[in-house]
Amino acid sequence: MAAGGRARAQRPNLDKMERMVVSMQDPDEGVKMRSQRLLITVIPHAVAGGDVVQWLTQKFRVSEDEALHLGALLVRHGYLYPLRDPRSLALRPDETPYRFQTPYFWASTVWPASELDYAIYLAKRSIQRRGALLDHEKGCAPRIWQEHYDQLQWKISHAWDLVVTQAREQLRAMKQRRRGDRLVITCQEQAYWLVNRPPPGVPNVLEQGPERGSCAASRLQTCKSLDFYKWEIEYARKALGRNRLKSSVCLEAYLKFSSQRGPHDPILSGCLPSNPWVTDDDTYWAVNAPTAATPTRLRVERWGFSFQELLEDPVGRAHFMDFLEKEFSAENLSFWEACEQLRYGGQAQVPALVDAVYQQFLAPGAARWVNIDSRTMERTLAGLCRPHRYVLDDAQLHIYMLMKKDSYPRFLKSDMYKGLLTEATVPVETKRRVFPFMRKPRHCSPSPALPTAGPGGGGED
Amino acid sequence: MATDGLHENETLASLKIEAESLKGKLEEERAKLHDVELHQVAERVEALGQFVMKTRRTLKGHGNKVLCMDWCKDKRRIVSSSQDGKVIVWDSFTTNKEHAVTMPCTWVMACAYAPSGCAIACGGLDNKCSVYPLTFDKNENMAAKKKSVAMHTNYLSACSFTNSDMQILTASGDGTCALWDVESGQLLQSFHGHGADVLCLDLAPSETGNTFVSGGCDKKAMVWDMRSGQCVQAFETHESDINSVRYYPSGDAFASGSDDATCRLYDLRADREVAIYSKESIIFGASSVDFSLSGRLLFAGYNDYTINVWDVLKGARVSILFGHENRVSTLRVSPDGTAFCSGSWDHTLRVWA
């Protein structure tokens, strides 16, 4: 069954759960087993919910909360079932008795559960209800079973005689067994069906979402054709020729990056005046608005981290533009901006944008002529015959590097930048209000999708 | 004919041997430069303090499993999509719903907010990616202005706008990624190479802005050049489907989350996997990963309903967050790093800070 096979491969967690329950049943290292008395019957090989949690806590060195959560997942997937109150698959961390599900009923063994089997199961329960019920079955919700029963009866009416015959046969065979075994088998079955046909309101743990791996590419993959190996060979050859950096160099870079950015990370270091999500006060956003008149100190500091950081901030970029104007090289930044517009703009605008850029920045005698080296200029001008969105990439990169290596370091050393740092604000911390009932109303903010009111409108307040 | 078949078998066998020998050489070359492990280098880094993050907002309103979400650049609005076809735009700070649209398909597995904040994109089992301009005009029906942009031959698993509202990058169950012009719906570039469904993608934050990474059911994470359509780097160390990929904030590395219950960090300059984030007690797949602003923390949502927070440098788990009542399907850190939002099959979204 291909679909089932694929679904199986999708669930490595089932394998891991199964290995876990196997080790939990190890006679030496596993969970403490005990015999459980249920009224007049004694059921062997039962475990207490609390012992399961303890075992998981010790084995995986985790907190009790986490162990309880993990144990609960095992129960929800039907690998453990409660001996009492079997209608809900929950793990209670106390003396409540549980048993390990027989591998026959494991989620990975029999899937998907057939409608016919379910019908037989429901038929058995329906027949039994007219007879003497075992204690633990009384608590079951009969209405749900009845609903299912009716639906199924309608669905497979042609096979109904078979279903009823099978049900009667299974019940008769059960009567031959010892009381204790009957109880256990009933519990096992009940747990199995709770997993495979969850009652309304209970999430289906076996649900996977849309099927994966059904596309043509997957089928190609499994074939491992000539094309597949040719691709691998070509890729490996190219990769062998690539320059690689030593791990130590790369990893040191993370340390440096993280330590530099740590104080700017609100989750790590908090933020001033306060984190809006924690205090319901959105001053932090107002103070750090994209076009705020007086940027905060942290923000101005970030402009010094990298050229990219400076350009990405509209306020930073504006100040940099001012600086370039003083140095009579503002056309570089304008050219770069125009190239960005081309690269990320609509396809239909490409020819017009390319032409506009050429006229303004590249043509001989252009109003804002940019200084590119002759080779790049030649290549660019040649490419303009057939304009596409990447035709200015070389020129753009050249100008970008020029600004990054030359103008940007000068900007950081300039009086202008130093002045910005000193003038920058440092918001005062506001603590969370002490009286919870005096909750601050949460301010709405205008959606970016709202049309701006007019020439004067559209600013952040 | 018989001799052709024989010839092809020999060629196939010899190609396979050649491929394997080259891959072996590649591993040797990579190993030569691997002179230290990340956790060794990170020994001198200060340990993180007490970690307390709580649910600060719970967004209820989806009638079915939440599958995907994305933040608006304004740091408070989000778009979310669910199994029943509903796509909702919220101001998550006030928890007000601002827009809602019902897609004509179920399992809307991908959604994205446009950089301008004026539009959203979404898609799923309809094999398409559609863009909806956001309008506050009561007389306008959002669905009327819908633009069908991308067309794939299998489900849409992920989508993202590039630096503007005018281009969209998509990933699909048909094994390909593609770059589209929104206005005309024209295919600008397609990316072939994955051997199975592509499940996720993320654009590189690099200054030259030309690459993105994708992850798929073939257990591979591939880095692509957007301009040429070529795969420039590939990593294959996961043992199962890769559900989520996200770049480290510096752009020099990326993290991945997989059904094999691990998250891994791959360095682009070293061209190798440099860290694995896993624990014996974590046995369910990671569906979604994202970094905090400084890259020190990695948040990962799992199919066991929890969110694990990892110390990226030291490799240890910092915290486990409970709260969701079904699998966590999507997780994104807000644009200014003040919080992260998780969406779950329990029909809710939670904002944590």
Side-chain angles (χ1 to χ4, degrees):
Chain A
M1 178 181 41
R6 172 67 212 176
R8 175 87 174 79
Q10 252 179 251
R11 290 146 67 178
N13 51 295
L14 289 184
D15 276 340
K16 293 180 186 152
M17 278 194 278
E18 282 155 21
R19 261 177 273 145
M20 210 182 267
V21 295
V22 164
S23 65
M24 283 166 90
Q25 292 171 79
D26 182 280
D28 302 316
E29 307 280 306
V31 187
K32 192 174 89 177
M33 297 269 185
R34 53 174 79 174
S35 294
Q36 181 65 39
R37 180 172 226 93
L38 288 177
L39 277 195
I40 59 171
T41 332
V42 173
I43 312 289
H45 305 133
V47 291
D51 287 344
V52 169
V53 174
Q54 275 311 305
W55 188 89
L56 289 169
T57 310
Q58 276 159 19
K59 166 95 177 176
F60 296 113
R61 284 180 279 263
V62 292
S63 69
E64 278 201 24
D65 278 340
E66 196 175 345
L68 179 58
H69 181 85
L70 185 53
L73 281 169
L74 288 174
V75 177
R76 247 182 280 203
H77 281 76
Y79 288 103
L80 273 154
Y81 57 88
L83 279 173
R84 289 197 209 103
D85 189 21
R87 70 189 142 148
S88 83
L89 296 176
L91 179 66
R92 279 192 248 282
D94 50 24
E95 291 299 305
T96 314
Y98 293 84
R99 244 174 148 263
F100 291 95
Q101 180 63 288
T102 170
Y104 177 76
F105 278 138
W106 280 356
S108 56
T109 322
V110 192
W111 191 86
S114 84
E115 288 298 300
L116 201 62
D117 286 327
Y118 190 48
I120 294 169
Y121 169 70
L122 287 179
K124 280 197 295 186
R125 295 190 64 77
S126 184
I127 294 167
Q128 269 183 322
R129 232 173 278 126
R130 293 190 205 106
L133 277 178
L134 294 168
D135 280 357
H136 69 277
E137 284 175 348
K138 280 194 189 140
C140 187
R143 186 181 52 80
I144 301 169
W145 302 120
Q146 196 59 45
E147 257 173 44
H148 273 137
Y149 186 68
D150 292 339
Q151 273 177 18
L152 268 174
Q153 202 165 15
W154 178 81
K155 252 199 236 181
I156 52 178
S157 49
H158 61 281
W160 198 249
D161 286 341
L162 169 64
V163 169
V164 172
T165 316
Q166 268 296 309
R168 289 218 163 94
E169 190 49 51
Q170 287 185 14
L171 282 174
R172 191 177 13 249
M174 276 279 268
K175 286 210 172 82
Q176 311 293 335
R177 317 218 35 179
R178 286 190 345 245
R179 188 185 178 86
D181 286 348
R182 277 209 308 274
L183 209 146
V184 162
I185 292 169
T186 314
C187 279
Q188 288 175 338
E189 247 194 331
Q190 199 157 348
Y192 172 78
W193 287 112
L194 275 173
V195 171
N196 283 277
R197 296 285 189 279
V202 176
N204 184 348
V205 292
L206 298 179
E207 189 171 6
Q208 282 302 301
E211 198 190 320
R212 296 178 179 177
S214 58
C215 67
S218 302
R219 292 194 280 277
L220 195 74
Q221 165 101 25
T222 44
C223 281
K224 300 266 184 204
S225 66
L226 286 174
D227 285 332
F228 174 78
Y229 287 117
K230 281 193 189 139
W231 193 96
E232 294 241 303
I233 290 168
E234 198 191 321
Y235 174 77
R237 286 220 181 96
K238 268 198 240 159
L240 277 167
R242 177 183 307 129
N243 276 333
R244 265 172 215 87
L245 281 188
K246 273 198 292 190
S247 287
S248 48
V249 173
C250 302
L251 303 178
E252 280 295 330
Y254 301 155
L255 262 62
K256 179 160 179 276
F257 186 87
S258 288
S259 76
Q260 189 188 50
R261 307 287 169 139
H264 298 253
D265 185 338
I267 291 175
L268 273 188
S269 315
C271 52
L272 299 173
S274 66
N275 187 321
W277 302 100
V278 175
T279 59
D280 285 355
D281 175 6
D282 62 357
T283 311
Y284 179 72
W285 288 328
V287 163
N288 285 291
T291 47
T294 39
T296 64
R297 190 180 176 85
L298 279 178
R299 185 172 176 180
V300 178
E301 264 175 35
R302 279 201 290 277
W303 301 343
F305 286 168
S306 75
F307 187 41
Q308 186 185 3
E309 194 82 51
L310 173 68
L311 286 185
E312 273 173 5
D313 186 335
V315 176
R317 193 195 285 198
H319 284 297
F320 185 61
M321 182 69 96
D322 286 343
F323 175 76
L324 289 179
E325 263 157 21
K326 291 205 172 75
E327 298 213 320
F328 304 106
S329 54
E331 67 277 357
N332 286 343
L333 185 55
S334 300
F335 174 69
W336 181 84
E337 284 178 337
C339 291
E340 286 285 279
Q341 248 199 319
L342 170 67
R343 268 214 306 186
Y344 298 111
Q347 189 66 2
Q349 283 81 50
V350 165
L353 274 172
V354 170
D355 192 53
V357 170
Y358 172 73
Q359 298 297 337
Q360 203 179 12
F361 298 101
L362 298 171
R368 310 193 70 191
W369 193 77
V370 285
N371 195 353
I372 308 174
D373 71 282
S374 50
R375 234 179 54 194
T376 313
M377 182 64 98
E378 238 177 77
R379 246 202 329 263
T380 307
L381 292 177
L384 290 181
C385 314
R386 287 195 302 152
H388 57 91
R389 67 178 59 242
Y390 302 116
V391 76
L392 297 173
D393 271 10
D394 288 341
Q396 182 183 9
L397 186 61
H398 179 91
I399 293 292
Y400 183 85
M401 290 316 238
L402 193 68
M403 289 192 289
K404 176 177 172 178
K405 300 222 159 89
D406 193 36
S407 318
Y408 174 62
R410 276 209 302 278
F411 171 72
L412 293 182
K413 295 199 190 90
S414 70
D415 290 333
M416 182 193 265
Y417 180 66
K418 292 197 177 118
L420 287 166
L421 267 176
T422 1
E423 283 161 23
T425 59
V426 180
V428 177
E429 183 182 6
T430 54
K431 291 234 178 339
R432 193 174 193 168
R433 282 173 180 273
V434 177
F435 304 103
F437 54 83
M438 266 166 65
R439 209 184 79 165
K440 227 180 133 96
R442 295 168 184 164
H443 294 148
C444 291
S445 80
S447 166
L450 277 170
T452 47
E460 286 275 340
D461 39 56
Chain B
M1 281 302 120
T3 41
D4 275 359
L6 195 64
H7 176 72
E8 189 175 307
N9 278 340
E10 278 175 352
T11 322
L12 195 71
S14 65
L15 278 184
K16 181 173 176 184
I17 293 171
E18 192 183 346
E20 258 145 46
S21 119
L22 279 174
K23 276 181 22 178
K25 276 211 199 102
L26 186 56
E27 277 320 300
E28 269 174 42
E29 287 301 308
R30 282 173 165 164
K32 275 187 203 158
L33 293 171
H34 190 55
D35 50 349
V36 71
E37 296 289 332
L38 179 53
H39 64 85
Q40 290 173 291
V41 171
E43 261 158 32
R44 34 179 239 269
V45 177
E46 238 181 76
L48 292 170
Q50 247 293 10
F51 191 82
V52 177
M53 269 187 108
K54 293 198 257 185
T55 302
R56 303 291 176 175
R57 301 286 189 277
T58 306
L59 304 176
K60 298 190 190 172
H62 277 292
N64 215 314
K65 309 177 176 66
V66 176
L67 303 175
C68 186
M69 61 83 44
D70 190 19
W71 287 91
C72 175
K73 283 216 159 68
D74 77 349
K75 307 145 191 172
R76 46 191 286 173
R77 284 176 169 78
I78 63 170
V79 60
S80 59
S81 63
S82 73
Q83 180 192 355
D84 59 3
K86 273 236 162 50
V87 179
I88 303 179
V89 174
W90 320 66
D91 175 352
S92 55
F93 189 63
T94 56
T95 72
N96 292 337
K97 300 189 209 19
E98 293 192 342
H99 307 269
V101 80
T102 307
M103 293 275 285
C105 69
T106 57
W107 290 93
V108 186
M109 295 176 272
C111 65
Y113 223 120
S116 69
C118 298
I120 54 162
C122 49
L125 285 185
D126 58 350
N127 301 356
K128 297 195 228 152
C129 184
S130 310
V131 174
Y132 291 85
L134 295 176
T135 172
F136 280 94
D137 189 339
K138 290 281 186 331
N139 300 327
E140 257 181 45
N141 179 8
M142 254 178 78
K145 288 274 169 88
K146 161 179 165 178
K147 217 183 296 196
S148 248
V149 175
M151 297 270 277
H152 280 279
T153 53
N154 208 333
Y155 62 86
L156 190 83
S157 54
C159 65
S160 173
F161 285 89
T162 61
N163 277 12
S164 78
D165 287 14
M166 292 178 265
Q167 288 177 343
I168 284 200
L169 192 58
T170 58
S172 165
D174 66 11
T176 69
C177 298
L179 181 66
W180 310 82
D181 177 65
V182 173
E183 188 58 50
S184 61
Q186 186 188 350
L187 172 67
L188 299 175
Q189 184 62 262
S190 69
F191 307 89
H192 296 259
H194 272 290
D197 313 24
V198 187
L199 299 177
C200 51
L201 60 81
D202 191 33
L203 282 152
S206 86
E207 40 192 2
T208 42
N210 266 331
T211 59
F212 72 94
V213 63
S214 65
C217 288
D218 57 356
K219 311 174 199 168
K220 285 202 190 132
M222 299 174 95
V223 181
W224 307 87
D225 178 316
M226 269 178 22
R227 189 176 156 168
S228 65
Q230 294 299 309
C231 167
V232 293
Q233 270 176 291
F235 303 90
E236 196 176 358
T237 60
H238 269 294
E239 293 162 14
S240 189
D241 302 356
I242 298 179
N243 297 313
S244 175
V245 284
R246 193 74 62 208
Y247 271 93
Y248 182 77
S250 74
D252 288 330
F254 67 90
S256 59
S258 159
D259 272 349
D260 67 5
T262 69
C263 298
R264 294 173 198 238
L265 188 66
Y266 296 93
D267 188 293
L268 297 172
R269 299 187 298 172
D271 191 30
R272 61 175 299 122
E273 171 194 294
V274 291
I276 305 183
Y277 306 100
S278 68
K279 230 177 165 321
E280 254 192 292
S281 58
I282 300 175
I283 57 179
F284 282 70
S287 63
S288 192
V289 299
D290 204 356
F291 286 98
S292 73
L293 218 57
S294 62
R296 181 68 193 269
L297 296 172
L298 179 70
F299 300 101
Y302 289 77
N303 292 339
D304 67 1
Y305 321 170
T306 66
I307 295 164
N308 286 286
V309 186
W310 299 91
D311 180 333
V312 171
L313 301 179
K314 292 193 180 276
R317 189 198 44 199
V318 170
S319 181
I320 178 169
L321 301 172
F322 299 101
H324 279 297
E325 291 163 14
N326 205 326
R327 58 165 88 175
V328 177
S329 52
T330 178
L331 189 156
R332 297 293 296 261
V333 171
S334 76
D336 64 353
T338 48
F340 72 86
C341 179
S342 59
S344 161
W345 281 19
D346 69 4
H347 308 188
T348 68
L349 293 122
R350 285 171 182 246
V351 180
W352 308 73

